[in-house]
Amino acid sequence: MTAETVQLRSPNSVLANAVDYTLDVLRPRILADDTERIRFTVGTQINGHPHIGTHLVQVLAFLVAEQARDDYGIDTTVEFYALDNAPADTIRDAASGHRYQQTYRHQLGSDAIRGLVAEHYAPLFDALALRTGVPYDLTTYTDQQAGPVFRAEFLRTLERLDEIRYWLDPSAGSAHIRLPCPECGWAEKYAERTRLLELDGSGALFESVCLHHGRYESDITPLGGGYLDLSTPYRNVVKERSYRPDGTLHVMVKGGDWSFGCQLVDGAQAAIGTTATAPVRIFTPQILGPDGGKLSKSLLREAGAGAGEGTPFGWFLNPALWPGTPEDYVRTLTGLGGLLLSDPRHFFRSYTTTEMERLIMSTRRPARNQSQAQGRPRTIQMYREYFELIADGSKTVEVRVAYDSMKRIKVGDLLNFTCRGEECLTRVLRVGHYPTFKAMFGTEDVKAVNPNATEAEQLEAIYSIFPPEKEALGVLTFEIERVNGDG
């Protein structure tokens, strides 16, 4: 894939203009904290089949985790939260006018929720974990809200409820603390009549009103009590405050539409008192419909079931309509994700479905005069000083830690090195395997790795990035040659 093939032109934004490549946004925190591992968190409402926007966020979570691991030499994982507290049904009480909702968890039960995750998400996650070598954990909101750390942090926020309630709901000042009825699982959607009766060191006692069963009480403690269903801003406030300073850098991977909502989360955090462990947020490109609005399940429902599914790209709305194999689906989305990550200008922006169609068609075509046997090039981002050495042919050996994803690179593969929209396509001529970086320099030509640095200088730079436990995985070298446009 080359720039000529895709012809993607993106505008600069404030953030895109401030960094050389997308993951530079992590560098300040990695340098400031004693970071031992990075955990990328992505959450998705479990309310039926996902559309391409949802899957793209998840794909990008794995790709940024892979890049962060390779570039910073830090273990990375992806943490997927299945938000089974999404409303499955809503009704209005004719007598009071209050709206009620029942979550998917309460309507379907735990077995059905596991079935939805297994059907719509686990296959993609398994394929991405295999593709990137990044492990993942999967949990539900039901499990999260039942945990003692989450509940204890929630109880602490109640001490400042008056200060944060308008951040959580600027219109009415309601915290939207939904405590489903223990008899039927229905809860008042906006929690207007939910009252905090008592709050002490042991927990909090609430009173709520059920549509069917009248008034009831919920005793929330760190170790138990009723089901705790918080509004989206409130849930994120508590979740972000639940992270502990244990050497882990937490990174929230969110769709671009979340950039507005985070103003409310940050306001509530400031009102409570900031924490030193606040996570980093990465906002992924947002996919827009033809009218410029976010590609949204709720808008699709309003347009009618099956809206758009009769078009050639109907699988944008329902992946079950994908015309190819599951393997090709993963390759298509990872190819698209690699393109978006290739330049900050491509990443920190939005795309219409029309542009997505064009990009997908472009990335699925082989580069000009490139044989199918060679496959799609693997994109590797480089900093300017190293990219220019590869581009001018003076750097002919690239060094990497032997992560599983790197071990899959073989002689004849194409590596497309990128920097700020510029690309340099290369072919692998030889793969070297070594136990240590020092042993690697016993065989490889120092000048071929970096013509501008001595062996000692290169080792010092390498060890500043990769600690001994990473070196223990092994060292790989790739001897490369430039590939011209005629392949």
Side-chain angles (χ1 to χ4, degrees):
M1 181 180 65
T2 67
E4 291 182 347
T5 303
V6 178
Q7 295 181 334
L8 175 57
R9 293 182 292 273
S10 298
N12 265 331
S13 65
V14 173
L15 184 54
N17 200 42
V19 296
D20 284 334
Y21 88 113
T22 307
L23 289 190
D24 281 344
V25 296
L26 302 182
R27 186 177 298 277
R29 284 293 296 273
I30 290 175
L31 294 177
D33 301 341
D34 187 16
T35 302
E36 300 174 4
R37 66 196 70 85
I38 308 176
R39 195 168 185 85
F40 294 86
T41 300
V42 58
T44 301
Q45 290 191 345
I46 302 301
N47 54 359
H49 63 70
H51 57 59
I52 186 177
T54 301
H55 272 174
L56 184 60
V57 173
Q58 294 159 356
V59 166
L60 287 168
F62 278 91
L63 293 183
V64 297
E66 178 188 31
Q67 285 192 9
R69 179 202 62 202
D70 292 352
D71 291 345
Y72 295 114
I74 299 174
D75 284 335
T76 61
T77 58
V78 171
E79 182 178 44
F80 173 61
Y81 278 100
L83 302 179
D84 56 348
N85 64 324
D89 197 7
T90 59
I91 56 177
R92 186 181 295 274
D93 180 5
S96 68
H98 293 284
R99 295 181 63 187
Y100 282 80
Q101 71 177 46
Q102 189 177 56
T103 71
Y104 273 84
R105 179 65 176 228
H106 288 90
Q107 184 177 95
L108 301 180
S110 58
D111 290 344
I113 293 297
R114 283 194 292 268
L116 284 174
V117 172
E119 178 183 0
H120 296 308
Y121 300 99
L124 177 63
F125 278 24
D126 289 342
L128 290 170
L130 181 63
R131 150 74 174 77
T132 61
V134 175
Y136 75 91
D137 297 324
L138 196 155
T139 189
T140 64
Y141 173 77
T142 295
D143 295 331
Q144 182 189 50
Q145 64 84 32
V149 174
F150 186 91
R151 287 187 162 233
E153 202 59 57
F154 164 71
L155 292 172
R156 279 189 279 270
T157 67
L158 294 178
E159 299 171 5
R160 307 297 296 272
L161 190 57
D162 284 342
E163 289 92 334
I164 67 174
R165 62 191 184 97
Y166 275 99
W167 285 110
L168 302 175
D169 179 11
S171 298
S174 172
H176 296 187
I177 302 171
R178 294 183 287 263
L179 303 163
C181 173
E183 298 292 329
C184 62
W186 285 88
E188 203 171 46
K189 182 174 180 63
Y190 300 114
E192 300 101 322
R193 293 181 291 180
T194 293
R195 296 190 300 129
L196 176 60
L197 302 178
E198 298 177 13
L199 176 64
D200 56 31
S202 63
L205 181 65
F206 291 90
E207 180 185 73
S208 305
V209 181
C210 176
L211 171 66
H212 305 294
H213 300 96
R215 297 187 180 275
Y216 62 95
E217 293 183 351
S218 302
D219 189 11
I220 304 297
T221 73
L223 299 179
Y227 192 98
L228 180 61
D229 180 16
L230 303 177
S231 66
T232 300
Y234 203 167
R235 181 182 70 242
N236 277 267
V237 168
V238 176
K239 180 171 62 177
E240 291 186 4
R241 297 184 68 85
S242 299
Y243 296 132
R244 296 295 178 254
D246 59 355
T248 301
L249 173 61
H250 294 274
V251 180
M252 315 293 288
V253 182
K254 296 176 175 291
D257 59 311
W258 244 100
S259 60
F260 305 104
C262 283
Q263 298 179 62
L264 303 180
V265 174
D266 289 342
Q269 298 286 28
I272 297 170
T274 57
T275 63
T277 55
V280 177
R281 304 183 186 116
I282 292 181
F283 299 107
T284 63
Q286 188 175 185
I287 300 182
L288 310 177
D291 60 354
K294 174 193 172 187
L295 190 65
S296 161
K297 290 180 183 177
S298 59
L299 293 179
L300 294 175
R301 282 195 294 270
E302 291 175 9
E309 294 187 357
T311 69
F313 283 84
W315 62 270
F316 274 21
L317 309 182
N318 182 359
L321 301 177
W322 170 254
T325 65
E327 293 79 11
D328 191 40
Y329 182 75
V330 174
R331 283 194 296 270
T332 297
L333 289 188
T334 54
L336 176 62
L339 173 62
L340 301 183
L341 280 167
S342 66
D343 190 294
R345 293 174 299 173
H346 301 340
F347 193 85
F348 298 116
R349 57 160 291 186
S350 299
Y351 295 86
T352 64
T353 50
T354 301
E355 181 67 359
M356 280 284 107
E357 292 174 10
R358 187 185 72 82
L359 295 180
I360 287 173
M361 291 301 294
S362 298
T363 57
R364 292 187 71 189
R365 287 197 301 265
R368 185 173 53 192
N369 295 327
Q370 176 188 316
S371 70
Q372 289 286 355
Q374 290 173 319
R376 183 180 294 114
R378 179 190 177 109
T379 298
I380 299 178
Q381 297 188 60
M382 301 286 287
Y383 283 100
R384 173 63 59 186
E385 59 178 307
Y386 302 116
F387 176 83
E388 290 180 348
L389 295 176
I390 291 175
D392 68 21
S394 58
K395 175 178 170 61
T396 58
V397 173
E398 173 66 3
V399 180
R400 294 279 163 163
V401 168
Y403 297 113
D404 288 343
S405 59
M406 289 293 169
K407 289 191 288 188
R408 289 197 288 271
I409 297 175
K410 59 186 182 301
V411 172
D413 282 358
L414 296 173
L415 304 181
N416 191 36
F417 294 94
T418 68
C419 178
R420 295 292 294 181
E422 297 182 44
E423 300 183 336
C424 180
L425 187 63
T426 68
R427 181 182 293 108
V428 177
L429 301 178
R430 175 179 57 85
V431 179
H433 301 262
Y434 304 97
T436 64
F437 293 112
K438 183 69 175 178
M440 179 268 295
F441 277 122
T443 299
E444 300 289 349
D445 182 357
V446 173
K447 295 300 183 183
V449 177
N450 185 346
N452 298 329
T454 66
E455 177 179 332
E457 289 170 339
Q458 293 188 51
L459 282 172
E460 181 180 3
I462 289 172
Y463 286 132
S464 70
I465 299 174
F466 297 106
E469 61 268 23
K470 297 301 178 185
E471 185 180 32
L473 297 174
V475 176
L476 295 175
T477 60
F478 305 106
E479 184 180 353
I480 54 177
E481 68 172 359
R482 289 286 309 274
V483 176
N484 297 323
D486 58 4

